[in-house]
Amino acid sequence: MKTFGAALAVATTLAGSLAAAHAQSITLRAADTQPADYPTVQALKYMGQLLKERTNGRINMQVFDSHQLGEEKETIEQTKFGVIDIDRVNFAPLNGIVPETLVPCMPYIFTSKQNMHDVMWGKIGQDILDSFKSHGFIGLAVYDSGARSFYDTKHPIKTLDDMKGLKIRVQQSDLFLDMVKALGANPTPMAYGEVYSGLQTGLIDGAENNWPSYESSQHYKVAPYYSLDQHSMCPEVVMMSKVSWDKLSPDDQKAVRQAAQDSQKKMSELWDAREEQSKKVIKAANVKVNEVDVKPFIKAVQPVYDKFITTQALKDLVSRIRDTQK
């Protein structure tokens, strides 16, 4: 009886230890390159709040903003190996890693923000997120990145003729280089921090970005023509390291995914508010803002699709998105 009692005591202790281990708190490290008040950072913090509430404080998220853990390229590498658990990056730097991320970054692929939401928050978007898994990541959610449009120092851009000869700053991206070239302008790769002086000195004639970036960079002060062609709505992704994901229980995985998806709408609301704020500043500065008939622009970038959308899987994704616009 004494032996049985001792064995039972040991078993009870082990069971208690296992239960305690299972219930132990988890802290997930999340990275974002934007400053603390930026919508993506605020949305990640909201995701963390949801997780904490829904797990009774057991799962926490520590958000490192403002490049604390590196630039996007560096945080992607760290996330791959599980050094960073959750990463918020744009789809663009993933184009060479996860081929499917090319599609939502293609020029004029979306007709409106609502179309982008319908696609990327629906079955097509989920299929793209699912493709991350074979590359060492778990795609959790899609965030807004606004619509990028051209701005310049010379004149409003209303037709393709207005693009001719303009030196347009682009990101270090073959896709953006080829797009600007196809539209008749001269693409000029340049670090973002050099754009203001480049516009001011005439080294470049223009650049392209969304409303908040155009405003916060103060580029509107030296390039007062903003032409709303909305050529890119390449979104942001919230992804998790597969290394970190595999350490979670199925229930915890479900909680993380749900919190991420529930943060999408919150981020969109924050983005809309930030965008409206920027619009007010820009319009008060008497910047000349114009709409653009993009049909000729869409036709002009077809060679870019021919070059980058080469596999049947990518072509099918493009077709499925186009079908949502009929």
Side-chain angles (χ1 to χ4, degrees):
M1 286 297 291
K2 284 182 180 178
T3 304
F4 176 78
L8 182 61
V10 170
T12 303
T13 301
L14 283 172
S17 298
L18 287 171
H22 180 69
Q24 71 183 7
S25 63
I26 299 168
T27 299
L28 301 173
R29 287 159 49 92
D32 196 306
T33 56
Q34 295 290 356
D37 65 345
Y38 200 76
T40 54
V41 177
Q42 291 299 309
L44 280 181
K45 289 179 178 177
Y46 178 71
M47 174 187 167
Q49 288 171 12
L50 294 179
L51 259 180
K52 188 172 183 177
E53 290 167 7
R54 293 170 182 178
T55 62
N56 295 316
R58 195 170 52 78
I59 301 180
N60 293 276
M61 262 177 66
Q62 187 176 6
V63 179
F64 295 87
D65 55 60
S66 308
H67 315 271
Q68 288 180 66
L69 301 182
E71 299 298 332
E72 287 191 339
K73 184 175 183 291
E74 295 159 342
T75 62
I76 290 168
E77 290 173 358
Q78 292 178 70
T79 304
K80 171 100 173 177
F81 295 106
V83 179
I84 292 171
D85 300 304
I86 292 173
D87 198 11
R88 192 289 310 159
V89 294
N90 191 266
F91 270 60
L94 290 163
N95 289 172
I97 303 169
V98 184
E100 289 81 358
T101 61
L102 262 171
V103 174
C105 292
M106 293 303 291
Y108 307 105
I109 187 71
F110 301 115
T111 55
S112 66
K113 181 159 63 175
Q114 187 58 54
N115 178 231
M116 190 275 286
H117 284 168
D118 291 345
V119 169
M120 296 307 296
W121 291 357
K123 180 67 168 66
I124 299 172
Q126 189 57 55
D127 288 346
I128 293 172
L129 289 177
D130 288 345
S131 70
F132 281 57
K133 191 171 184 178
S134 60
H135 303 281
F137 307 103
I138 302 296
L140 296 175
V142 176
Y143 284 173
D144 284 57
S145 188
R148 299 175 77 99
S149 292
F150 292 108
Y151 51 88
D152 72 283
T153 61
K154 303 288 187 183
H155 51 245
I157 296 168
K158 295 181 179 178
T159 68
L160 287 173
D161 283 343
D162 296 325
M163 291 287 291
K164 285 181 181 175
L166 289 180
K167 292 173 288 185
I168 302 291
R169 179 267 174 181
V170 294
Q171 306 170 63
Q172 292 283 355
S173 158
D174 289 342
L175 178 59
F176 273 79
L177 277 163
D178 288 350
M179 176 193 71
V180 169
K181 202 178 293 182
L183 293 174
N186 299 320
T188 308
M190 180 182 287
Y192 188 61
E194 297 172 10
V195 176
Y196 187 95
S197 62
L199 291 165
Q200 199 172 35
T201 60
L203 187 62
I204 53 173
D205 301 312
E208 49 80 51
N209 222 315
N210 54 49
W211 285 97
S213 296
Y214 179 46
E215 177 261 319
S216 62
S217 63
Q218 300 198 36
H219 291 172
Y220 70 94
K221 291 183 177 180
V222 285
Y225 299 97
Y226 195 37
S227 304
L228 303 177
D229 74 306
Q230 300 190 330
H231 52 264
S232 177
M233 295 186 196
C234 188
E236 315 287 340
V237 65
V238 178
M239 63 182 187
M240 188 164 184
S241 169
K242 189 173 182 300
V243 173
S244 304
W245 179 261
D246 289 343
K247 293 175 182 176
L248 299 178
S249 70
D251 284 346
D252 286 348
Q253 289 176 350
K254 185 178 178 181
V256 169
R257 189 186 295 278
Q258 192 60 55
Q261 291 178 349
D262 289 346
S263 72
Q264 289 177 151
K265 189 177 179 184
K266 179 71 171 178
M267 190 278 165
S268 187
E269 291 169 357
L270 291 165
W271 181 266
D272 288 348
R274 177 67 175 259
E275 200 169 70
E276 284 306 311
Q277 179 186 331
S278 296
K279 285 181 183 179
K280 286 178 183 176
V281 172
I282 290 166
K283 289 176 179 178
N286 294 319
V287 169
K288 294 174 178 62
V289 179
N290 64 278
E291 300 290 334
V292 182
D293 177 7
V294 296
K295 293 187 189 72
F297 289 67
I298 293 171
K299 189 175 180 181
V301 299
Q302 185 54 47
V304 182
Y305 278 77
D306 297 338
K307 178 177 178 179
F308 288 90
I309 306 299
T310 53
T311 68
Q312 193 56 50
L314 297 185
K315 290 175 183 177
D316 288 346
L317 278 173
V318 170
S319 295
R320 288 170 66 191
I321 293 174
R322 296 294 189 213
D323 286 344
T324 68
Q325 300 158 1
K326 291 177 181 176

